[in-house]
């Protein structure tokens, strides 16, 4: 089937919605990567099995409800509450079930599908004990503003029909049939949309630069690499609503006059690749991708490239080099990607979230988009909320939202009531925000004032049990390992910084090391070749600035207040609790524990290797740790 005009698209949209409305009940099983890891695929299979053979049977659910018509069991993308997966929604009741297990499926079918009655024990429960039966009742979901994630969790992630049913490809039809390429670029430019991949460069300005190049062979590239530890926003969009991103890329291609596009996806996202391929094939079948799109004579072909997981390939020139089959290494600029990008041709390069914003901007207009967010950073931003937070998951909020609202109102605060210590924003290339920043707004320009960057949107929340020196060491270890090695400042500078940090957490640091760290950080930040190298020292810079006392404790007092740094821990036995069973001594690999049966044992910390085997094997909680 090929759709050739607006009228046919609208007819198909109406037909899809009639089909969906004919369902007496639809079971939406979250089949994003997180929920699949928790067993969602088995739950989906079980629900299909239990519901098969029930189509068109007439079972009265409630007196005021229609008879049970057809049943639908579909796979959706991420429904947001990753901490509480597997997740399931049941329509038309709009019930949201959390932590669904295989053993719950029959009860869901018997109670909800057949009778319309909720399984209340599967509802989300607030800290106050209140049950939330619907998705929007849950603060984590209800307090979000979803544009990019609007369809995730609500439609079949593997059905272009359902995407069309919620208005999909209407923006492409409007762009191709009612607007000139210049008008499309102008609308995106006026919207103030900034690239969501980290740098925040205005998308419309980038498109203009490509469109005005004398070279007519141009490319549109999507960065779906997303290499930050703890970040999964782009992956969730590609899994849960791949059509929206593809539609945005197609509009961009029309705007700049490109006929070929590439989606660069990291190898760790196999489900994203699978659903992107499926979405591309369906779009080509419907005449919405490929040759003569919507019978306009416009051609656009998409290809998928799988990256090998190199963090540096998130940088534009390294990414295009990787697509070309070369080693992913940044190059000196200028020329920039807009002038000489993929195969040295003008290239539009944006990330998944940026392209996913485009259809809504074309449909609703630049002015509408500017009503959301801040003056300098319009629209929304997706974040992956992880770490010591009550509710981890996928979040989308207006730019300018305060950090406090994200952590406490949406995330539910810190686990077990622990005190907030900081949040790492922007991944290993970002910085650390602390308590004084909780009421600061989050947008591209504001976070730069705090020695941090927005990055792609990873938020790792840390509580009082986190060692900030170890946090800096961990992120420096990551960036040093992922450095492509092309430029000396990054290759050697990050290595020397890592060596100093490792020395400090090992209890061998000197006060002069802090000056060396700051000197190296300044050098790498100012002299590295690419943006990834320039931002690599940010975790060290921000933690040194805000937690210098912890660095000094490690060096002067040989103490780690969070009791995280192994070399600085000391294990002791509480004589009052010790029963003299000797189990700790038997399990000590270093032979550092001495004593006799039925008498308190003693640990020789000069021999202790800090492994913690004694504490793990003590049945009487007699062993404690001193920093």
């Amino acid at each position: 089937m090929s759709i050739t005009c607006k009228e046919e698209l609208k007819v198909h949209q109406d037909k899809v919605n009639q089909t969906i409305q004919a369902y007496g009940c639809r079971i939406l099983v979250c089949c994003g990567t997180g929920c699949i890891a928790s067993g969602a695929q088995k739950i989906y299979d079980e629900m299909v099995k239990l519901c098969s053979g029930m189509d068109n049977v007439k079972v009265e659910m409630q007196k005021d409800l229609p008879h049970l018509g057809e049943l639908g069991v579909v796979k959706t993308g991420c429904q947001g509450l990753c901490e509480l997966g597997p997740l399931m929604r049941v329509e038309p009741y709009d019930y949201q079930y959390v932590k669904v297990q295989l053993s719950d499926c029959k009860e869901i079918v018997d109670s909800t599908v057949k009778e319309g009655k909720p399984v209340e024990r599967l509802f989300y429960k607030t800290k106050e004990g209140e049950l939330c039966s619907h998705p929007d009742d849950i603060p984590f979901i209800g307090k979000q503003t979803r544009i990019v994630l609007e369809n995730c969790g609500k439609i079949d992630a593997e059905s272009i029909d359902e995407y069309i049913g919620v208005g999909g490809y209407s923006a492409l039809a409007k762009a191709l049939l009612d607007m000139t390429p210049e008008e499309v670029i102008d609308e995106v430019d006026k919207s103030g949309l900034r690239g969501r991949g980290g740098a925040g460069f205005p998308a419309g300005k980038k498109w203009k630069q490509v469109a005005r190049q004398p070279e007519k062979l141009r490319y549109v590239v999507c960065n779906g690499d997303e290499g930050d530890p703890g970040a999964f926003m782009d992956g969730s969009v590609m899994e849960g609503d791949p059509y929206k991103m593809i539609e945005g890329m197609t509009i961009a291609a029309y705007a700049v006059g490109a006929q070929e596009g590439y989606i660069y996806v990291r190898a760790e996202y196999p489900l994203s690749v699978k659903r992107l391929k499926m979405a591309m094939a369906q779009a080509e079948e419907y005449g919405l991708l490929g040759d003569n799109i919507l019978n306009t004579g416009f051609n656009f072909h998409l290809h998928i490239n799988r990256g090998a997981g190199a963090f540096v390939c998130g940088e534009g020139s390294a990414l295009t080099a990787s697509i070309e089959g070369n080693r992913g290494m940044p190059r000196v600029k200028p020329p920039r990607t807009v002038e000489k990008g993929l195969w040295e041709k003008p290239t539009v390069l944006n990330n998944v979230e940026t392209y996913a914003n485009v259809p809504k901007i074309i449909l609703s207009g630049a002015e509408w988009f500017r009503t959301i967010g801040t003056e300098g950073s319009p629209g929304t931003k997706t974040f992956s909320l992880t770490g010591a937070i009550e509710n981890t998951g996928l979040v989308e909020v207006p730019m300018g939202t305060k950090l406090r609202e994200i952590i406490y109102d949406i995330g539910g605060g810190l686990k077990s009531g622990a005190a907030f210590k900081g949040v790492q924003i922007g991944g290993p290339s970002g910085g650390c925000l602390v308590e004084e920043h909780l009421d600061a707004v989050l947008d591209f320009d504001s976070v730069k004032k705090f020695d941090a960057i927005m990055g792609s949107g990873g938020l790792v929340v840390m509580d009082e049990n986190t060692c900030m020196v170890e946090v800096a060491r961990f992120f420096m270890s990551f960036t040093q390992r992922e450095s492509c090695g092309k430029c000396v400042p990054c290759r050697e500078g990050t290595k020397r910084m890592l060596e100093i940090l490792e020395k400090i957490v090992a209890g061998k640091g000197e006060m002069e090391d802090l000056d060396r760290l700051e000197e190296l950080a300044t050098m790498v930040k100012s002299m590295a070749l690419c943006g990834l190298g320039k931002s690599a020292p940010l975790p060290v810079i921000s933690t040194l600035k805000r937690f210098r006392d912890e660095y000094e404790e490690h060096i002067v007092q040989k103490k780690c207040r969070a009791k995280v740094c192994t070399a600085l821990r000391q294990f002791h036995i509480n004589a009052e609790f010790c029963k003299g069973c000797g189990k700790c001594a038997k399990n000590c690999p270093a032979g550092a524990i001495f004593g006799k049966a039925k008498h308190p044992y003693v640990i020789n910390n000069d021999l202790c290797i800090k492994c913690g085997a004694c504490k793990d094997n003590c049945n009487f909680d007699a062993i404690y740790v001193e920093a």
Side-chain angles (χ1 to χ4, degrees):
M1 184 191 80
S2 183
I3 297 173
T4 62
C5 61
K6 272 187 180 180
E7 291 71 25
E8 289 183 6
L9 185 67
K10 183 65 171 64
V11 168
H12 192 71
Q13 179 182 345
D14 293 340
K15 182 180 177 182
V16 170
N17 286 324
Q18 287 172 10
T19 302
I20 292 175
Q21 289 165 11
Y23 283 105
C25 186
R26 270 176 33 110
I27 299 101
L28 308 175
V29 182
C30 177
C31 285
T33 294
C35 280
I36 286 179
S38 302
Q41 182 64 50
K42 292 180 180 178
I43 289 170
Y44 171 81
D45 293 338
E46 182 68 11
M47 292 301 292
V48 170
K49 178 182 173 183
L50 291 170
C51 292
S52 62
M54 293 182 64
D55 288 354
N56 297 315
V57 290
K58 303 294 185 181
V59 179
E60 188 168 336
M61 294 184 283
Q62 290 180 3
K63 291 180 180 179
D64 57 341
L65 291 175
H67 291 296
L68 181 65
E70 293 185 1
L71 288 169
V73 185
V74 300
K75 297 179 182 178
T76 74
C78 179
Q79 294 180 8
L81 275 164
C82 304
E83 175 88 359
L84 302 176
L87 303 166
M88 181 189 296
R89 291 179 184 173
V90 185
E91 297 175 346
Y93 319 104
D94 200 28
Y95 292 148
Q96 175 75 66
Y97 293 146
V98 302
K99 293 185 178 180
V100 180
Q101 301 300 308
L102 205 59
S103 55
D104 298 323
C105 293
K106 190 174 188 308
E107 185 177 358
I108 292 171
V109 171
D110 290 342
S111 296
T112 307
V113 176
K114 291 182 179 179
E115 299 182 17
K117 297 177 181 177
V119 182
E120 292 189 355
R121 61 183 180 81
L122 296 177
F123 286 154
Y124 176 88
K125 184 183 290 187
T126 65
K127 288 181 179 179
E128 295 74 29
E130 182 183 350
L131 293 178
C132 300
S133 56
H134 309 303
D136 288 341
D137 296 339
I138 302 172
F140 184 91
I141 298 174
K143 291 182 180 292
Q144 295 187 39
T145 301
R146 292 196 157 203
I147 296 174
V148 171
L149 303 176
E150 181 182 16
N151 300 325
C152 287
K154 294 183 177 181
I155 66 171
D156 188 338
E158 299 179 351
S159 169
I160 193 172
D161 288 330
E162 293 207 9
Y163 179 65
I164 291 173
V166 293
Y169 284 103
S170 298
L172 178 63
K174 179 181 178 180
L176 264 59
L177 299 170
D178 299 338
M179 302 171 74
T180 65
E182 294 76 18
E183 288 173 335
V184 171
I185 293 177
D186 189 52
E187 197 68 29
V188 173
D189 190 39
K190 287 192 298 184
S191 74
L193 174 66
R194 296 172 68 170
R196 299 309 200 237
F201 190 83
K205 184 177 180 180
K206 182 181 290 188
W207 294 16
K208 280 183 179 179
Q209 291 172 338
V210 171
R212 67 170 177 240
Q213 297 300 317
E215 172 61 61
K216 297 304 178 186
L217 180 57
R218 299 152 184 177
Y219 295 98
V220 170
V221 176
C222 178
N223 180 357
D225 189 59
E226 196 171 44
D228 292 3
F232 49 87
M233 303 78 60
D234 287 351
S236 297
V237 173
M238 290 186 285
E239 292 172 7
D241 193 7
Y243 311 97
K244 180 178 286 187
M245 183 199 80
I246 291 172
E247 184 180 6
M249 288 187 72
T250 309
I251 293 170
Y254 169 71
V256 302
Q259 294 192 4
E260 299 283 337
Y262 290 82
I263 306 171
Y264 190 86
V265 189
R266 63 191 296 101
E268 293 90 338
Y269 283 170
L271 185 58
S272 295
V273 172
K274 175 187 173 184
R275 289 186 177 163
L276 283 169
K277 286 182 177 178
M278 192 178 297
M280 287 161 54
Q282 292 172 355
E284 287 177 359
E285 181 185 347
Y286 277 42
L288 300 170
L289 188 67
D291 292 324
N292 196 25
I293 298 173
L294 286 171
N295 203 30
T296 60
F298 168 61
N299 306 323
F300 182 58
H301 295 268
L302 265 178
H303 315 275
I304 294 177
N305 274 76
R306 299 185 69 173
F311 181 64
V312 73
C313 286
E315 194 274 342
S317 59
L319 185 152
T320 54
S322 180
I323 292 176
E324 293 167 359
N326 300 315
R327 183 179 175 188
M329 299 177 74
R331 58 171 168 76
V332 178
K333 293 112 178 149
R336 299 196 174 274
T337 307
V338 293
E339 300 157 339
K340 289 189 177 183
L342 189 60
W343 288 297
E344 297 196 349
K345 303 299 180 183
T347 302
V348 168
L349 175 57
N350 288 121
N351 82 323
V352 173
E353 186 181 348
T354 310
Y355 287 121
N357 270 294
V358 171
K360 197 76 173 179
I361 291 172
I362 297 301
L363 274 181
S364 301
E367 293 306 315
W368 163 82
F369 192 73
R370 280 195 167 276
T371 63
I372 304 167
T374 63
E375 178 64 28
S377 299
T380 59
K381 182 72 189 78
T382 62
F383 292 100
S384 57
L385 198 55
T386 60
I389 192 81
E390 195 68 38
N391 295 318
T392 62
L394 197 59
V395 174
E396 184 175 3
V397 294
M399 284 282 194
T401 299
K402 293 180 179 179
L403 188 59
R404 184 184 301 276
E405 184 177 344
I406 296 174
I407 293 175
Y408 290 96
D409 296 347
I410 295 176
L414 278 71
K415 285 183 177 177
S416 306
F420 172 79
K421 190 168 189 177
V423 57
Q424 180 72 16
I425 181 171
S429 301
C432 186
L433 304 181
V434 294
E435 190 169 5
E436 67 183 82
H437 304 128
L438 281 174
D439 291 313
V441 298
L442 293 185
D443 61 31
F444 287 110
D445 302 317
S446 297
V447 295
K448 289 179 182 177
K449 301 173 186 175
F450 310 132
D451 301 312
I453 60 172
M454 182 78 78
S456 59
L459 286 177
V460 182
V461 180
M462 297 170 285
D463 64 15
E464 57 192 329
N465 301 310
T466 305
C467 171
M468 302 312 295
V469 184
E470 169 56 24
V471 166
R473 188 212 63 81
F474 169 80
F475 283 117
M476 185 53 63
S477 173
F478 178 87
T479 50
Q480 196 280 322
R481 186 173 63 250
E482 292 292 333
S483 172
C484 74
K486 184 173 183 178
C487 73
V488 174
C490 182
R491 183 181 71 238
E492 298 299 324
T494 57
K495 185 174 177 62
R496 297 287 88 80
M497 290 179 71
L498 177 61
E499 288 172 350
I500 293 173
L501 289 166
E502 288 177 336
K503 179 182 172 186
I504 293 173
V505 298
K508 300 175 183 178
E510 303 169 349
M511 286 302 292
E512 293 80 4
D513 288 332
L514 301 185
D515 295 330
R516 296 189 190 104
L517 268 180
E518 289 179 327
E519 184 179 348
L520 284 165
T522 302
M523 182 273 294
V524 175
K525 185 180 178 183
S526 62
M527 299 180 66
L529 175 62
C530 75
L532 296 183
K534 291 180 183 296
S535 58
L538 288 180
V540 176
I541 292 172
S542 61
T543 53
L544 263 175
K545 182 176 181 179
R546 299 184 177 100
F547 298 97
R548 194 179 187 89
D549 56 337
E550 285 196 34
Y551 280 88
E552 292 176 352
E553 279 182 0
H554 280 66
I555 294 170
V556 178
Q557 301 179 36
K558 308 301 178 187
K559 175 182 177 181
C560 173
R561 65 176 70 173
K563 303 176 184 178
V564 170
C565 296
T566 304
L568 301 181
R569 295 189 298 178
Q570 284 199 348
F571 289 84
H572 299 278
I573 296 176
N574 187 324
E576 292 183 17
F577 294 164
C578 181
K579 305 298 181 183
C581 68
K583 191 176 180 182
C584 57
K586 293 174 185 176
N587 286 280
C588 178
I593 303 178
F594 303 91
K596 61 181 181 178
K598 297 184 180 180
H599 289 79
Y601 277 63
V602 177
I603 298 175
N604 183 338
N605 271 285
D606 291 333
L607 299 176
C608 178
I609 61 172
K610 328 291 186 184
C611 67
C614 54
K615 184 171 174 55
D616 293 339
N617 284 281
C618 180
N619 296 327
F620 306 102
D621 292 326
I623 298 175
Y624 62 96
V625 182
E626 276 190 356

